[in-house]
Amino acid sequence: SGSKSYKEEFFDEVFEYVALNENGNIERTWWAAEDHISLRKKPDNSGLDNELAWYVDCAGESFLKNGWESCTNISGSKSYNFSGRRTFNPSHRFRRRRWYRKVKRGTHPAVSGISEGLIFHQPADLDKFTRTQKEAERNTIGVHLEEREHEGSLLDIFNRPIHKDGILDIMTAVANDGSTLISVKCMDGRWSTPAIIPPSGSSNGVIRTSSSRWPALTTFIRRNKQKWSHLEVKNRQGHDDLNAGTVDPIKFGMAPLEPNVFELCYQVTMLPGMWGELSRMLTITPRFLLKNESTWLDIVVKQVGSPDTSRIFIKRGEIAPFYWADGNLPELVCARPNEDGFKWSGGFDLCTLGMLPLRLRLLDSVNDNSILSSLRVNVEIQPGTGGIGTMISLRDEDPSGEGSLFRIENHSPFQVYYSQDGILANPTSSERDFSKSCDVINPGGRTSYSLDVPWRQGKYEDR
């Protein structure tokens, strides 16, 4: 039923804008998109039930002001414009609030024919010569960054001072060559970074989209969940303290603020046939795929630091997509057998190609009689993704080291203690009880060797 809801419904949104004069009175009101320029129709709740009605989004500091957020200059720099924190200051001249509603298949004329595949039409506003010229200019990005032939060149974007939102400027500049930018979103989440469809030829890329409509608020609200729940109940019975002639009665709600982040890869290919020059196909797939190559073991995987409820179950021989459970946690993954008594392995990076062994350890309350001590992880490139998507294969290793990635053999007449060096996972050798800090190999024995912390502390900083 969960996957069905993604296909059967989506969310509309519109922003209500108010400009105040020097005396604090309303000077102008209008309805538009998030960019405040593209005008939209005023919401109408007449004849709609509670499930499909328009709601005011009260997430953020604006919760205390019935959904209103404010800024000093609506057309100035980003530091003076509306921000993702949705703050409110009564001295600001410009205010806005977000209205949203759920739309189901067949309840809205624009989506009555929604299907698995969507067709986008773009007018042919560039002649063949101009399109070819601009395509050649686009291809020079990153090749001649030091060249500046004239002011206003497309390459000038790289000579500006580096700032936090530079990637958005680059996307905008690329679009000036006639490329089409298409974004996606998950339910009522935030629109993703755009997929770039060039005027001609094929392309590949990565897009990221968040389940949270306001990602900057997600961490703060989750840490103050009880406080925000109290405010939510209180404000559902509130009234509009800024009478701008809006929808009546007003329903207050809250946009989703889940921390999930979806990383996807896209591929743009030309369609076969006579229309291939003008028609392209955009294919979007998960960037990370998990494959269980074990013949007898079921495996569970999750993001390091996320709750166990977010784990992904992979049956032996099957493949499953992987998405980040929390965009605020390190982008590392851990795994363990789907059996009681095992701890989670150390975290590893999904973008580092190659093979590595994961150490599997038992809980302190479980006797060490397991026939499994390590998993082998193989990270490789997914075919057809332009080197962007990865396939992560997991399989069990023989504890005796037969066929394992690494093996340690003890040819000495005494016991040998060993552990991974220079990590926080294992105590130092100054511990008196070596059995708690190290593993041991008896004389004449051999064992597979694996890593407690496959990725060093670099990605664990500031946790």
Side-chain angles (χ1 to χ4, degrees):
S1 59
S3 60
K4 184 178 179 181
S5 64
Y6 280 81
K7 299 178 183 178
E8 300 289 343
E9 63 190 34
F10 69 99
F11 286 80
D12 271 348
E13 72 175 12
V14 61
F15 285 81
E16 177 185 5
Y17 289 87
V18 172
L20 306 179
N21 58 24
E22 295 178 355
N23 299 323
N25 299 320
I26 297 178
E27 183 179 59
R28 178 192 174 196
T29 63
W30 73 100
W31 298 85
E34 189 174 3
D35 60 6
H36 81 267
I37 298 175
S38 305
L39 299 182
R40 297 288 187 268
K41 292 181 61 176
K42 176 181 176 180
D44 184 8
N45 275 339
S46 58
L48 298 178
D49 56 25
N50 288 334
E51 185 181 4
L52 302 179
W54 288 94
Y55 285 81
V56 171
D57 182 5
C58 292
E61 184 180 318
S62 54
F63 205 115
L64 301 175
K65 299 297 180 182
N66 294 318
W68 292 105
E69 57 178 321
S70 64
C71 71
T72 56
N73 192 344
I74 200 171
S75 59
S77 65
K78 293 182 180 180
S79 60
Y80 298 104
N81 209 325
F82 294 108
S83 67
R85 285 297 306 270
R86 289 172 56 80
T87 56
F88 181 84
N89 188 328
S91 65
H92 289 168
R93 180 188 176 191
F94 295 96
R95 303 179 183 183
R96 75 173 183 183
R97 61 180 174 182
R98 175 179 178 262
W99 294 71
Y100 70 96
R101 67 166 177 171
K102 182 188 298 183
V103 180
K104 293 187 177 181
R105 182 198 294 250
T107 61
H108 193 281
V111 294
S112 58
I114 191 171
S115 62
E116 295 289 341
L118 299 178
I119 299 176
F120 290 85
H121 169 70
Q122 183 184 25
D125 54 354
L126 294 177
D127 58 79
K128 186 175 182 180
F129 174 78
T130 304
R131 185 168 62 241
T132 303
Q133 184 182 29
K134 288 186 173 294
E135 173 70 7
E137 184 181 19
R138 184 182 70 85
N139 290 335
T140 63
I141 295 179
V143 179
H144 304 296
L145 298 183
E146 301 298 329
E147 297 182 7
R148 299 185 62 182
E149 298 180 358
H150 58 278
E151 289 296 324
S153 171
L154 185 63
L155 299 182
D156 286 350
I157 193 69
F158 294 97
N159 295 305
R160 299 176 184 173
I162 297 176
H163 54 87
K164 195 170 184 179
D165 298 316
I167 182 66
L168 298 179
D169 296 332
I170 294 176
M171 294 296 184
T172 304
V174 174
N176 291 337
D177 75 340
S179 298
T180 303
L181 306 183
I182 295 181
S183 299
V184 301
K185 70 174 182 177
C186 173
M187 300 297 286
D188 194 26
R190 189 164 186 81
W191 287 103
S192 70
T193 52
I196 304 175
I197 303 180
S200 61
S202 303
S203 66
N204 297 87
V206 173
I207 55 179
R208 287 172 62 99
T209 181
S210 173
S211 293
S212 172
R213 181 59 182 84
W214 309 105
L217 288 173
T218 300
T219 302
F220 176 80
I221 292 181
R222 289 176 68 212
R223 292 176 180 174
N224 300 270
K225 187 174 183 180
Q226 186 175 1
K227 177 182 176 182
W228 284 88
S229 298
H230 172 72
L231 292 175
E232 182 178 1
V233 175
K234 179 179 178 180
N235 278 271
R236 284 188 182 279
Q237 302 175 354
H239 63 280
D240 190 0
D241 55 351
L242 181 62
N243 185 11
T246 57
V247 179
D248 187 43
I250 296 177
K251 298 179 182 294
F252 295 105
M254 218 170 160
L257 297 169
E258 288 82 6
N260 310 86
V261 174
F262 300 90
E263 249 184 295
L264 310 167
C265 57
Y266 68 87
Q267 181 183 27
V268 178
T269 56
M270 292 187 293
L271 291 177
M274 61 181 299
W275 298 106
E277 180 183 354
L278 301 177
S279 300
R280 251 79 56 75
M281 179 171 63
L282 172 64
T283 305
I284 300 176
T285 57
R287 185 183 184 187
F288 306 118
L289 293 178
L290 304 174
K291 182 179 181 181
N292 185 353
E293 292 187 338
S294 177
T295 58
W296 63 278
L297 183 68
D298 296 334
I299 300 174
V300 288
V301 177
K302 71 165 187 172
Q303 183 180 4
V304 171
S306 64
D308 287 359
T309 54
S310 66
R311 66 184 183 274
I312 299 174
F313 173 77
I314 315 172
K315 193 175 181 180
R316 49 189 178 274
E318 293 188 351
I319 299 176
F322 178 83
Y323 305 108
W324 302 113
D326 193 334
N328 300 299
L329 292 173
E331 294 186 350
L332 298 173
V333 177
C334 57
R336 66 172 174 83
N338 188 38
E339 298 179 1
D340 295 334
F342 282 95
K343 297 180 180 180
W344 288 100
S345 72
F348 61 94
D349 187 11
L350 297 184
C351 296
T352 302
L353 301 180
M355 290 191 291
L356 58 89
L358 301 180
R359 183 70 165 97
L360 297 178
R361 295 192 180 274
L362 297 172
L363 297 173
D364 296 336
S365 58
V366 179
N367 294 327
D368 192 3
N369 56 359
S370 173
I371 61 172
L372 183 64
S373 62
S374 62
L375 290 175
R376 179 189 300 182
V377 177
N378 183 21
V379 182
E380 55 188 347
I381 295 176
Q382 285 187 46
T385 62
I388 297 173
T390 58
M391 172 76 75
I392 300 91
S393 303
L394 300 99
R395 59 172 297 178
D396 54 286
E397 288 189 328
D398 188 341
S400 66
E402 190 66 33
S404 62
L405 190 59
F406 299 109
R407 183 171 69 189
I408 298 178
E409 298 181 353
N410 184 4
H411 295 278
S412 68
F414 44 82
Q415 286 184 330
V416 174
Y417 292 88
Y418 67 96
S419 67
Q420 186 177 354
D421 184 35
I423 61 173
L424 298 178
N426 292 337
T428 63
S429 58
S430 62
E431 290 281 347
R432 295 183 178 181
D433 188 354
F434 286 96
S435 61
K436 294 182 179 180
S437 62
C438 305
D439 295 299
V440 61
I441 309 177
N442 292 322
R446 63 180 186 176
T447 182
S448 61
Y449 175 73
S450 49
L451 303 176
D452 285 284
V453 180
W455 187 270
R456 296 280 178 153
Q457 285 94 320
K459 284 198 173 183
Y460 286 89
E461 293 179 355
D462 302 327
R463 282 190 61 181

